[in-house]
Amino acid sequence: MRFLAIVLIVFHHSTTVFWCWPPSVVTSMGLPQPIMALSNVAKLYGLGIFTYISGFLLARSKAEILSLPFIWHKFKKIMLPCIIAAIIYRLFFMEYACGDAINGTHLWYLPMIFIFYLLLPIIRFKNPLKMMICASLFYVICFFLHKLTLFRTFGECTNYIGYFMAGTLSFRFLTNKQLNLNAIAIIILLIFTFSWRNLTGAIGTTVCIFGIYSILRNFHTSSVLFHTKIAITLKKMVFLISEKSFHIYIIHQFVINLLLMFIPMDIPRFRPILFLLCFTFSIAFPLIFSFMYDYIRRGLSSISTSLRKRIF
């Protein structure tokens, strides 16, 4: 599912180059209305699926309390790359931001996910009513914080909390066979409460995830084609992109910005080729960077280990 999410997000950003974002000469070119509509759907489902998966994985994790090690782990994993990327944006790409380096770029999503992970104590409530009350309070706090600070992340928290809660509650449905009617009613009310600003999107994302999962699961177990060499290669590619989806999300917009800087993209008849360049490079370059990073990190780790052995 992460593969589908990151592909939809990269598709969305590869098309917005031509009609709304990032700010550049190319944005004046425009796109056919159906492509623009498809791009907005890709954004809705891409970010929705990512948020849903985050909620599901948090509910499935073994963490029970909001401890300092848990917070530090999530900060290193999510916020540290966000801060580094924001500094790079500030130094080299501010002309492609609609505001500051986080609010005005794709990086706004990372602080939101970090904030959602801090809801762990609420997720662990066994009583759905307590969960609903506390999560509703969180919604109200984010709403007013957005009005007071105009920080986009707080506003987006109110947009995407429904997806996150749907993910956590889906895990409960899959693992708890003893849910009574009162608990189910409260959970449904909870999802409706948090999704009132985008109820269709939240429900559609949930149905989409379960539908695709069921289709792939049945196809995997019943289809002979799924075990051919081509299918196996495609499975490896899908797994690779899924595994590196976080790196792709952070880096892909920098790739698009570099293409805008160095390639004359304001030629209307070359629009399909330019889109393919943005889409392909936005996935390929982050993968290459991720491999290089992993290779260097492993090399440094082995050198450090050998030096410690020599010293001690």
Side-chain angles (χ1 to χ4, degrees):
M1 297 310 300
R2 284 181 294 180
F3 168 81
L4 176 62
I6 195 62
V7 166
L8 290 174
I9 291 170
V10 173
F11 170 81
H12 170 67
H13 287 160
S14 298
T15 55
T16 54
V17 165
F18 301 103
W19 60 283
C20 69
W21 185 78
S24 68
V25 177
V26 184
T27 56
S28 63
M29 294 171 60
L31 279 176
Q33 194 66 32
I35 301 298
M36 294 168 61
L38 186 62
S39 177
N40 285 326
V41 170
K43 174 190 176 184
L44 173 68
Y45 279 93
L47 293 177
I49 291 172
F50 258 139
T51 310
Y52 179 98
I53 292 173
S54 297
F56 188 93
L57 293 178
L58 179 62
R60 195 183 69 173
S61 69
K62 296 181 180 179
E64 294 293 335
I65 60 173
L66 192 63
S67 61
L68 286 177
F70 175 85
I71 296 174
W72 175 240
H73 172 72
K74 294 302 179 183
F75 183 86
K76 285 193 302 181
K77 184 178 179 180
I78 300 173
M79 289 307 300
L80 193 57
C82 176
I83 292 170
I84 294 172
I87 292 172
I88 295 173
Y89 239 113
R90 182 68 181 175
L91 293 176
F92 303 107
F93 298 102
M94 279 310 292
E95 66 268 28
Y96 296 110
C98 300
D100 62 68
I102 294 181
N103 269 313
T105 69
H106 68 296
L107 300 176
W108 66 265
Y109 183 77
L110 301 179
M112 184 191 77
I113 288 296
F114 177 73
I115 292 172
F116 283 168
Y117 276 120
L118 300 182
L119 298 178
L120 177 64
I122 298 175
I123 302 304
R124 293 305 181 210
F125 281 145
K126 294 183 179 180
N127 187 331
L129 183 59
K130 287 184 179 179
M131 180 191 295
M132 180 177 178
I133 293 172
C134 292
S136 300
L137 180 61
F138 168 81
Y139 182 100
V140 172
I141 291 172
C142 287
F143 178 83
F144 284 106
L145 283 175
H146 178 243
K147 294 297 182 182
L148 292 173
T149 64
L150 299 180
F151 192 62
R152 179 180 178 181
T153 295
F154 292 129
E156 298 292 356
C157 282
T158 64
N159 290 330
Y160 285 93
I161 184 63
Y163 299 94
F164 188 81
M165 296 305 298
T168 62
L169 296 172
S170 295
F171 179 78
R172 287 198 176 194
F173 275 121
L174 293 174
T175 57
N176 188 352
K177 306 301 183 181
Q178 304 300 321
L179 288 176
N180 56 42
L181 291 177
N182 290 333
I184 293 174
I186 292 173
I187 289 171
I188 293 174
L189 182 60
L190 177 70
I191 294 176
F192 270 71
T193 300
F194 292 134
S195 306
W196 69 274
R197 295 181 65 178
N198 199 357
L199 182 59
T200 304
I203 295 175
T205 300
T206 305
V207 173
C208 174
I209 288 173
F210 277 102
I212 293 175
Y213 174 77
S214 300
I215 291 171
L216 291 178
R217 184 178 179 182
N218 293 330
F219 188 71
H220 178 268
T221 55
S222 62
S223 177
V224 177
L225 294 175
F226 209 82
H227 300 284
T228 62
K229 290 184 177 180
I230 296 177
I232 292 172
T233 303
L234 289 175
K235 283 167 61 178
K236 290 180 179 179
M237 187 179 301
V238 168
F239 178 79
L240 175 64
I241 293 176
S242 299
E243 187 181 26
K244 303 296 183 181
S245 58
F246 183 73
H247 294 94
I248 295 173
Y249 182 83
I250 292 179
I251 299 172
H252 80 278
Q253 193 61 50
F254 292 108
V255 176
I256 293 176
N257 293 344
L258 286 170
L259 289 174
L260 290 174
M261 292 173 65
F262 295 109
I263 297 179
M265 302 180 72
D266 53 342
I267 306 173
R269 66 176 180 273
F270 290 154
R271 239 175 291 183
I273 297 175
L274 301 179
F275 162 73
L276 288 175
L277 281 176
C278 288
F279 182 80
T280 305
F281 288 178
S282 294
I283 292 179
F285 282 3
L287 289 177
I288 294 171
F289 174 85
S290 180
F291 282 127
M292 292 174 60
Y293 173 77
D294 291 340
Y295 179 80
I296 294 172
R297 187 178 63 177
R298 285 194 299 268
L300 293 175
S301 177
S302 62
I303 292 172
S304 175
T305 303
S306 62
L307 287 176
R308 283 199 301 267
K309 288 182 179 179
R310 290 181 181 181
I311 293 173
F312 299 104

